[in-house]
């Protein structure tokens, strides 16, 4: 049984802005793009992409994140989550150009893990990540001062989610911490607690809380939220000393919008539905779901699901639509009734990809993402600790 009705969500004017179909220069950064972009309606756009990519041959390696538009995924050499793609790039040393169809922190990670001879390209510099932007180097340094004043810094091990800037990864490396993905967050936290008494989890509070409570058996009282926009993080020294998990007040703008009402609504509409959500969702959503896991887990779960089963998926809409199309024998619906695209991920569209590929084919390197050597050194140390996790 199939249905398209729950996926047939209607974009609002704001959604069109977030999707990149409208622009507000006052609220965007890095939207300037040297040269002329081909119009999205250009009937030759697909052929131009094919021609430019073919002319580059093995010199270019195109990475496509799961949340990308279908028109972009069509030209990806590999697809996956952010860390998988960065590792795939590092495994292709013969590729002179790495075109990362994702967001800024992902391209930074690829630059960190690839050789100096490889150049990482982000087709649109406006493709950032709201979660990664919720923790700046200055804010995190101030947080560490607060922890020091509270007398707990020596007992804290930082664990930063892959969805963070190179600066935050470097901070983590400098302070003996590790990076984690949504797939290995439990192992990362277990390692961190073997090194210290407390964890500073950056920048997604929901993944940190869900992993601590669901997977490690902690209580919500073991967690405290540090808000960088309040003096002292909005917490007292006593609260920091009593906490095991110090959670940064950050979240994913996509996964954070799902609510308990969304879960209750879909259960009332589709009897027997399986609710499958990403661990970046709020704790009450995760607690009410039937299955919780990373993007790769979501894909594998649906691949293995029996024909005729019904699933409500709490993750980015591009991926949900792609999964529904790939599994016509199952009823796959979107958990929420409204648009939930990753707004900045959708900045990477076919016009920007064509522009990047054609520029490279002409010998012009555009939108290169390059992490400075010191930041790269400490960020790589944190990433290598993750790779060494048992």
């Amino acid at each position: 049984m199939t249905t398209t009705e729950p996926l047939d969500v209607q974009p609002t004017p704001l959604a069109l802005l977030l999707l990149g179909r409208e622009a507000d220069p006052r609220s965007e950064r890095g939207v300037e793009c040297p040269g002329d972009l081909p119009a999205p309606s250009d009937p030759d756009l697909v052929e131009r992409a094919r021609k430019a990519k073919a002319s580059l041959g093995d010199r270019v390696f195109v990475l496509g994140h799961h949340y990308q538009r279908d028109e972009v995924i069509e030209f990806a050499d590999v697809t996956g989550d952010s860390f998988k793609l960065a590792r795939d790039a590092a495994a292709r040393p013969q590729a002179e150009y790495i075109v990362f169809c994702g967001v800024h922190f992902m391209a930074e990670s690829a630059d960190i893990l690839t050789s100096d001879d490889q150049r990482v390209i982000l087709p649109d510099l406006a493709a950032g990540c709201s979660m990664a932007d919720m923790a700046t180097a200055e804010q995190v340094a101030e947080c560490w001062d607060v922890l020091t004043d509270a007398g707990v810094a020596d007992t804290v091990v930082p664990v930063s989610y892959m969805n963070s800037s190179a600066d935050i990864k470097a901070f983590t490396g400098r302070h003996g911490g590790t990076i984690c993905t949504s797939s290995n967050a439990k192992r990362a936290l277990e390692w961190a607690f073997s090194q210290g008494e407390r964890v500073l989890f950056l920048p997604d509070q929901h993944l940190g809380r869900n992993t601590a409570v669901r997977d490690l058996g902690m209580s919500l009282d073991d967690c405290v939220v540090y808000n960088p926009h309040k003096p002292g993080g909005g917490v007292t020294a006593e609260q920091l000393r009593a906490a095991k998990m110090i959670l940064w007040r950050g979240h994913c703008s996509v996964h954070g919008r799902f609510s308990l009402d969304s879960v209750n609504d879909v259960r009332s509409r589709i009897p027997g539905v399986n609710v499958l959500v990403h661990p970046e969702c709020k704790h009450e959503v995760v607690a009410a779901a039937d299955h919780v896991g990373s993007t790769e887990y979501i894909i594998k779960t649906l691949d293995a699901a029996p024909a005729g089963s019904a699933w409500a998926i709490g993750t980015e809409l591009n991926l949900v639509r792609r999964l529904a199309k790939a599994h016509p024998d199952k009823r796959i619906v979107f958990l929420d009734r409204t648009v939930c695209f990753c707004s900045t991920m959708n900045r990477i569209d076919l016009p920007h990809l064509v522009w990047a590929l054609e520029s490279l084919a002409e010998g012009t390197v555009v939108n290169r993402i390059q992490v400075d050597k010191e930041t790269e050194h400490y960020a790589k140390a944190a990433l290598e600790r993750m790779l060494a996790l048992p």
Side-chain angles (χ1 to χ4, degrees), residues 18 22 47 81 107 152 271 279 281 299 312-313 350 354 356 368 389:
L18 296 177
E22 301 293 342
E47 183 57 33
D81 61 19
V152 299
C281 292
I299 294 170
I313 313 300
L350 195 51
V354 168
R368 183 179 180 184
L389 291 174

Side-chain angles (χ1 to χ4, degrees), residues 53 62 71-72 209 223 263 275 283 296 310 314 334 337 349:
K53 191 167 185 285
V62 180
E71 66 188 37
V72 171
R209 182 183 296 105
C223 306
V263 178
V275 177
H283 182 68
E296 296 289 345
F334 189 55
R337 286 182 178 270
D349 55 13

Side-chain angles (χ1 to χ4, degrees), residues 61 63 84-93 98 110 113-115 118:
F61 191 47
L63 310 176
K84 174 185 180 295
L85 293 176
R87 294 187 72 181
D88 285 344
R92 286 291 189 99
I98 306 297
L113 293 176
T114 52
S115 71
Q118 294 176 287

Side-chain angles (χ1 to χ4, degrees), residues 18-29:
L18 296 177
L19 286 170
R21 297 175 190 168
E22 301 293 342
D24 181 359
R26 297 168 300 175
S27 64
E28 297 174 3
R29 293 173 295 127

